[in-house]
Amino acid sequence: GGGGGGGGGDGGAQEVKEDDHHSSIVRGRQAGEWWSRAAAEGKAAVEGKLRIGGQRHFYLETNTALALPVEGGGLSITCANQNPTRTQTAVAGALGLPLATVDVRVRRIGGAYGGKLNAHLPTAIAAAVAAAKHGRPVRLHNDRSDDMASTGGRPPMEGSFRLAVDQGGVVSSIELTAAFDSGVVDGGAGDLTMGVCWADNAYRADDFAVHGSFYNSGVVGSTACRAPGVVQTIPLHELAMEAAAEAVGLPADAVREANLYATGDAALCGVTVGENGFNWNLPAMWQSAKARWEVAARREQVEAFNRSNRWRKRGLRMVPVKYGIEDNGGAYKEGCSLGVLADGSVRLAHGGCELGQGIHTKAAQAAAFALGCPLGGVSVSDTSSLATPGSADTGGSATSECVVKAVLDAAETLNARLLPFRPAAGAAGEGAWEATVKAATDAGVSLAASGWFGGGAPPGGAPI
């Protein structure tokens, strides 16, 4: 198939347009130009539509908040949320308080997947306002029906595609259009941005256009729901690949394989595939999967079964997925504080939220590994907006790694302070860690440090 005829190799001329309700990326020729010339270029012109309904959050724990007045007129709020910093800012703004007097805390959350990035704020603010007004603790916990009625979820999408494909299955030109129903708020903005940026999935094309928009309607506002927008636009693109395969009489798997990105191609989101930390092992995985799963033999079995059975049918498909995980202009920011106590135990606080992904365990493991201390001696504090100010959302499938990087940063500082007190190489044994800490403590060395991951690439270096 030749991998798409070189499309995307140098990125071509790419135009990006955005405003509050629209986002577009256009690379290569305008759609009207290649669409009208498809037949003259010996290509099939194919178009279609797809509607995907919305999806409601059904996390185990509904939105909840406990607000406690504290000395000096401040508040301590324990709240199920994915961003204590944003919650702190919203509560402080509602009450006219300095940020330093509002502490938002979370130990763990019973499910979120984007539903507690913003949709929890009315619950947290209502509890905070009542606690501040009456000077007593206030707890709110939504019942299931109220929670689902008020928090929305993944927005419905109306999508369409048109493309030009040659007889070898190479899709040289494609245009995808997606419109998201955001309800009464602008919660669909995140779906719009991500859906457009990653609508390419794993495929290249010489001419590539993605147009996205969201509109408001009289239903509850949408909110982020796992892989916002991408869960809608990737199926739209995959439907287009199925239609292209049908138009030229080729197996859909063969068309997908003919159009996979190659190392050195420029993806729509701006990264260069296979370079600068963006590893590209999908083509190798594809070939390995075909061999290990005996796809060709199994497809023959499927076809034989279908010929022999009028009413029962079987099918077999291979579908690639490229989901972008990248540092979007330094969006990932996570802090950490690390303290070693006199008995050798370690207290760790970080800015990420435990959503069931094991972030506390990963952070503790990183501290134990970096310091050379027993894992059982590392305790992780509740996440607190005052303990690690400025930390960003927990989301995007990368927060755990950013927290680990912040832990390693703090551990590097502590290791430099502990180095003069560590035993000689080869002499360390049981109790060596405790002895090192005791010696440093007796010498008056500070064993508290902070760490930070600020995103992006270091000067002259590759992305972390």
Side-chain angles (χ1 to χ4, degrees):
D10 61 3
Q14 179 164 309
E15 181 181 8
V16 179
K17 292 183 178 180
E18 289 186 326
D19 59 34
D20 289 344
H21 285 67
H22 302 84
S23 180
S24 294
I25 299 177
V26 179
R27 172 180 296 169
R29 295 179 295 174
Q30 295 291 327
E33 181 181 354
W34 58 257
W35 179 256
S36 62
R37 293 181 53 82
E41 295 174 355
K43 299 171 183 177
V46 186
E47 60 184 331
K49 295 181 178 181
L50 174 67
R51 183 186 187 280
I52 298 179
Q55 180 183 7
R56 305 308 295 271
H57 281 290
F58 200 75
Y59 32 64
L60 186 65
E61 176 193 25
T62 60
N63 282 298
T64 181
L66 170 64
L68 303 172
V70 297
E71 185 176 354
L75 287 171
S76 175
I77 303 170
T78 301
C79 174
N81 74 100
Q82 293 176 246
N83 189 325
T85 299
R86 178 180 293 125
T87 310
Q88 175 192 43
T89 302
V91 169
L95 293 172
L97 294 174
L99 291 175
T101 64
V102 177
D103 187 17
V104 176
R105 308 177 67 85
V106 58
R107 181 63 190 176
R108 63 181 60 86
I109 304 170
Y113 279 121
K116 293 168 184 171
L117 285 169
N118 298 305
H120 69 286
L121 291 175
T123 304
I125 292 173
V129 170
K133 177 178 176 62
H134 297 289
R136 59 188 299 171
V138 173
R139 178 176 179 266
L140 291 180
H141 196 159
N142 295 348
D143 67 24
R144 178 63 64 187
S145 58
D146 288 342
D147 197 75
M148 293 190 71
S150 62
T151 56
R154 190 185 306 281
M157 183 204 76
E158 299 276 355
S160 63
F161 67 84
R162 54 179 175 169
L163 59 86
V165 55
D166 67 21
Q167 295 305 306
V170 174
V171 177
S172 59
S173 308
I174 186 169
E175 180 185 48
L176 305 173
T177 302
F180 300 93
D181 181 355
S182 189
V184 297
V185 300
D186 291 348
D191 293 78
L192 172 63
T193 301
M194 293 175 64
V196 167
C197 189
W198 295 323
D200 55 347
N201 193 17
Y203 308 119
R204 62 205 302 233
D206 293 331
D207 309 309
F208 210 135
V210 186
H211 307 291
S213 63
F214 74 85
Y215 58 91
N216 297 114
S217 65
V219 299
V220 63
S222 65
T223 186
C225 187
R226 183 57 183 159
V230 186
V231 169
Q232 295 99 309
T233 56
I234 283 182
L236 176 63
H237 199 159
E238 291 300 336
L239 178 63
M241 301 305 283
E242 293 276 344
E246 184 174 348
V248 297
L250 293 174
D253 297 355
V255 172
R256 290 186 168 99
E257 183 176 337
N259 292 280
L260 291 176
Y261 273 126
T263 297
D265 287 344
L268 286 185
C269 58
V271 300
T272 301
V273 174
E275 298 179 7
N276 299 321
F278 194 116
N279 60 308
W280 188 240
N281 52 14
L282 194 150
M285 292 170 62
W286 183 276
Q287 298 300 330
S288 175
K290 285 202 304 183
R292 292 179 58 190
W293 300 342
E294 300 178 340
V295 172
R298 292 169 65 184
R299 177 165 285 113
E300 291 179 359
Q301 295 171 9
V302 166
E303 293 172 352
F305 179 90
N306 291 343
R307 287 193 298 268
S308 303
N309 292 271
R310 182 176 183 181
W311 303 113
R312 294 177 60 205
K313 300 296 180 181
R314 293 174 177 170
L316 178 64
R317 284 290 189 272
M318 289 178 63
V319 179
V321 175
K322 173 182 70 64
Y323 180 71
I325 300 175
E326 58 176 326
D327 180 28
N328 298 309
Y332 290 112
K333 300 183 287 290
E334 296 298 337
C336 159
S337 63
L338 204 55
V340 182
L341 286 78
D343 63 352
S345 60
V346 178
R347 192 67 176 179
L348 164 64
H350 63 79
C353 298
E354 177 59 72
L355 314 176
Q357 80 280 42
I359 194 170
H360 290 337
T361 300
K362 288 183 178 181
Q365 289 173 329
F369 173 79
L371 295 173
C373 67
L375 176 59
V378 181
S379 299
V380 181
S381 301
D382 294 353
T383 301
S384 162
S385 59
L386 293 183
T388 52
S391 293
D393 293 336
T394 295
S397 301
T399 305
S400 294
E401 286 63 41
C402 297
V403 164
V404 164
K405 193 66 180 178
V407 172
L408 297 178
D409 183 42
E412 183 177 359
T413 300
L414 291 178
N415 279 330
R417 297 173 186 171
L418 289 168
L419 182 60
F421 306 97
R422 290 192 183 272
E430 185 175 354
W433 166 253
E434 290 79 5
T436 298
V437 171
K438 184 179 186 306
T441 301
D442 291 346
V445 175
S446 170
L447 296 182
S450 62
W452 183 256
F453 175 80
I464 297 173

